[in-house]
Amino acid sequence: MEAVETNHRQTCAGVMNQVKEDHPWFGMEQEYTLLDVDGHPFGWPKQGFPGPQGPYYCAVGTGNVYGREVVEAHYKACIYAGITISGTNAEVMPAQWEYQVGPCEGIKMGDHLWMSRFLLHRVCEDFGVVASFDPKPMNGDWNGAGCHCNYSTEKMRLPGGFDEINNAVEKLSKRHNYHIQAYDPQGGKDNMRRLTGLHETSSIYDFSSGVANRQASIRIPRHVGEEKCGYLEDRRPSSNCDPYTVTEVIARTTILNEEGDVVLKLNC
């Protein structure tokens, strides 16, 4: 019996079994946008727009956040269900939110994130709103939505692991297009609307990395740069990515040392 085309768990599980001795940990930052039933962002003026971005990120207070009751109900549902959820926050665009799942080892990352998405949709039913995972739900000067993937192996987490992190970044740099193709369900076409080099993103066409750089493809957190061990953050995955595919290709490139890039066909 063969897995259906959309079942990426099978190949991911095979890869994670091959790399289990490296104990790969993942933590994914799932961004999403709450929409009203008419498709307009929840809480936005029906005939216009809210004020410019700035006061909404990690904000509190009426007029600064929209839909916190949905967010907190989802968080509680995840805890009750045993999802490894570890945080949540309001995002840069009003009505946009993020929650973090992880750290999870191996195949559990995809399992937990997919179930958390199911629970989010189910909770939204009760509130009469819609959760959108579109990477760029609103055109213009508004942030898109991603699903940043934080990643480490046991060697990276140990003292002196910074060399291992840099080695992984070097391997990732040589397969940029391969990863872009795997980081959204449309082979990069969804992410093309988001990864413009603006709004805290890198360019979809270029690989970059740096310490505490929010506009890099791969960001090394500041404390990791100081402590010389820890993890890296791949900021390229889109909000509608398949976490099985994302974690699989990261393991293939950085642990199994697979090589070779592809040619992106984003304008076809």
Side-chain angles (χ1 to χ4, degrees):
M1 182 180 296
E2 295 184 1
V4 297
E5 185 178 354
T6 55
N7 179 7
H8 301 295
R9 189 184 192 280
Q10 184 181 50
T11 56
C12 181
V15 168
M16 293 307 169
N17 187 56
Q18 292 182 64
V19 303
K20 61 184 178 182
E21 298 302 320
D22 292 88
H23 300 287
W25 286 4
F26 302 92
M28 300 187 77
E29 306 171 23
Q30 178 67 70
E31 295 180 341
Y32 63 95
T33 306
L34 290 177
L35 306 178
D36 211 335
V37 291
D38 60 2
H40 201 60
F42 181 71
W44 285 32
K46 290 301 182 183
Q47 303 301 321
F49 300 90
Q53 295 184 153
Y56 310 111
Y57 182 62
C58 295
V60 295
T62 302
N64 292 329
V65 294
Y66 308 105
R68 188 183 299 277
E69 61 274 23
V70 180
V71 174
E72 294 191 347
H74 172 246
Y75 197 90
K76 292 174 183 177
C78 285
I79 292 173
Y80 184 81
I83 303 297
T84 308
I85 190 167
S86 49
T88 186
N89 61 271
E91 268 300 331
V92 177
M93 187 180 84
Q96 186 185 76
W97 292 85
E98 173 187 302
Y99 63 90
Q100 301 88 36
V101 175
C104 297
E105 186 165 331
I107 195 68
K108 291 182 179 179
M109 182 68 254
D111 291 344
H112 283 234
L113 191 67
W114 269 120
M115 284 307 302
S116 74
R117 288 174 174 177
F118 167 81
L119 290 172
L120 179 60
H121 285 306
R122 178 60 188 86
V123 167
C124 283
E125 282 185 38
D126 292 340
F127 289 91
V129 295
V130 177
S132 170
F133 294 113
D134 190 299
K136 187 69 174 179
M138 296 299 292
N139 293 324
D141 194 17
W142 304 102
N143 275 35
C147 192
H148 303 163
C149 184
N150 299 280
Y151 163 68
S152 68
T153 61
E154 186 173 42
K155 289 181 179 179
M156 294 179 191
R157 297 188 293 269
L158 293 174
F162 202 60
D163 287 342
E164 289 292 328
I165 295 173
N166 285 331
N167 288 340
V169 173
E170 178 65 21
K171 294 173 186 177
L172 291 167
S173 72
K174 296 177 180 178
R175 305 190 86 193
H176 176 64
N177 290 348
Y178 170 75
H179 281 260
I180 287 294
Q181 191 175 72
Y183 282 177
D184 79 51
Q186 302 300 322
K189 292 182 180 179
D190 281 347
N191 241 343
M192 185 168 61
R193 295 181 286 124
R194 167 181 163 258
L195 296 179
T196 62
L198 303 174
H199 302 111
E200 301 181 26
T201 69
S202 59
S203 168
I204 196 170
Y205 299 105
D206 303 304
F207 181 88
S208 57
S209 63
V211 175
N213 185 352
R214 298 175 72 90
Q215 288 189 290
S217 307
I218 305 292
R219 178 172 70 163
I220 308 299
R222 188 180 304 278
H223 71 275
V224 173
E226 294 173 351
E227 297 171 7
K228 304 302 180 185
C229 64
Y231 63 96
L232 61 84
E233 177 193 17
D234 192 332
R235 298 174 61 83
R236 295 171 293 176
S238 66
S239 50
N240 62 347
C241 70
D242 186 328
Y244 293 128
T245 303
V246 171
T247 55
E248 176 185 337
V249 297
I250 290 175
R252 285 183 180 276
T253 297
T254 64
I255 303 178
L256 297 181
N257 297 317
E258 293 187 4
E259 299 179 342
D261 210 351
V262 299
V263 176
L264 289 176
K265 299 179 180 179
L266 300 179
N267 298 314
C268 297

